[in-house]
Amino acid sequence: MTTAALQTVLTVPERFRGPAGVANGGWIAGTMADALNGNRSPVEVTLHAPTPLDTELCLEHVGNTVTLSDGERLLVEAFPVAEDLTAPDFVPFTDAARAESGFPGWQGHAFPECFACGLREPGDGLRIFPGPVEGTDLVAAGWRVPFTVADEDGVPASIVGAALDCVTGWAHFKPGESALLGRLAVQIHGRVYPGGAYSVVARATGREGRKLFGESAIYDVNGTLVAAARATWIAAR
């Protein structure tokens, strides 16, 4: 017996780039998580290869797996995760916004065009600039959600995934340093509202050779956990 596959076409607009010419990994992870289960439970997304922009890609749903392919080339896989994701501690919005002054990207940014953490114009990118929170092992940024990322149903999972992504890298990076996202597990607990103010928080959880590990969270101004993620990055050789 074979399981029928549901196939749809996904095209990533150029706006949602991470490194120049390829999709932001968090945007892809959020999209895949939403496609798999509509954000009802945690989903782990593995990025096997960079996702091209403005290209018709095949999104295929078979059983409890969703894949994204470019022709015969597998780009991304998503699977459900059994356990809830842990989250770094809450940082109040004012403290998170204050931490942005220490953002290493001000001194050197490998991917200044990145949709999530790049130096894009207000309303175009998310402009999440995490810096160290004094007296903690955390980095944080105050995220003011632009209305330009919302659709008719509010802020989609793809945007939430993007917000959770790069901050886990900046928990490791010094000015000019970079890595590529290899895996991101995403769990969305509540809605993100356009025009809202949120704390985006992350901490480094370890390193193993070229692999960098981190976890991140989005909190509303009252300290309610809105979303969490667990990331694995692959540093350049």
Side-chain angles (χ1 to χ4, degrees):
M1 180 181 296
T2 59
T3 302
L6 175 64
Q7 295 185 350
T8 56
V9 173
L10 173 68
T11 301
V12 184
E14 197 266 345
R15 178 189 181 189
F16 301 121
R17 61 194 180 275
V22 299
N24 173 270
W27 190 96
I28 288 292
T31 298
M32 299 290 284
D34 187 47
L36 182 61
N37 67 11
N39 306 315
R40 290 189 296 272
S41 60
V43 173
E44 186 165 83
V45 180
T46 300
L47 309 174
H48 293 285
T51 299
L53 302 168
D54 295 327
T55 302
E56 290 192 351
L57 306 170
C58 178
L59 185 72
E60 187 171 51
H61 194 152
V62 182
N64 66 345
T65 304
V66 172
T67 62
L68 185 67
S69 302
D70 185 7
E72 297 299 314
R73 187 185 188 202
L74 176 65
L75 302 174
V76 187
E77 281 184 293
F79 301 91
V81 175
E83 75 280 1
D84 285 340
L85 302 181
T86 59
D89 292 339
F90 171 60
V91 174
F93 180 82
T94 53
D95 294 339
R98 189 179 301 116
E100 295 175 20
S101 63
F103 176 50
W106 299 131
Q107 302 175 52
H109 200 313
F111 305 122
E113 294 186 4
C114 177
F115 173 69
C117 68
L119 311 177
R120 305 264 289 267
E121 291 297 317
D124 181 26
L126 299 183
R127 296 177 60 84
I128 297 173
F129 304 134
V133 179
E134 187 176 354
T136 75
D137 63 348
L138 304 173
V139 297
W143 182 29
R144 303 156 187 85
V145 184
F147 285 92
T148 55
V149 299
D151 57 25
E152 61 274 9
D153 297 318
V155 177
S158 57
I159 302 301
V160 177
L164 290 165
D165 170 14
C166 300
V167 62
T168 58
W170 289 109
H172 288 273
F173 302 155
K174 295 180 175 60
E177 290 186 340
S178 68
L180 294 177
L181 186 68
R183 183 173 289 127
L184 190 71
V186 176
Q187 183 173 17
I188 299 176
H189 298 279
R191 294 187 63 185
V192 170
Y193 293 92
Y198 297 84
S199 297
V200 181
V201 186
R203 70 182 185 97
T205 57
R207 181 166 190 156
E208 183 180 298
R210 293 172 55 218
K211 293 182 179 179
L212 311 175
F213 305 102
E215 60 186 23
S216 61
I218 299 171
Y219 289 95
D220 69 14
V221 292
N222 298 315
T224 300
L225 179 63
V226 176
R230 180 180 66 219
T232 301
W233 293 77
I234 311 297
R237 293 184 184 277

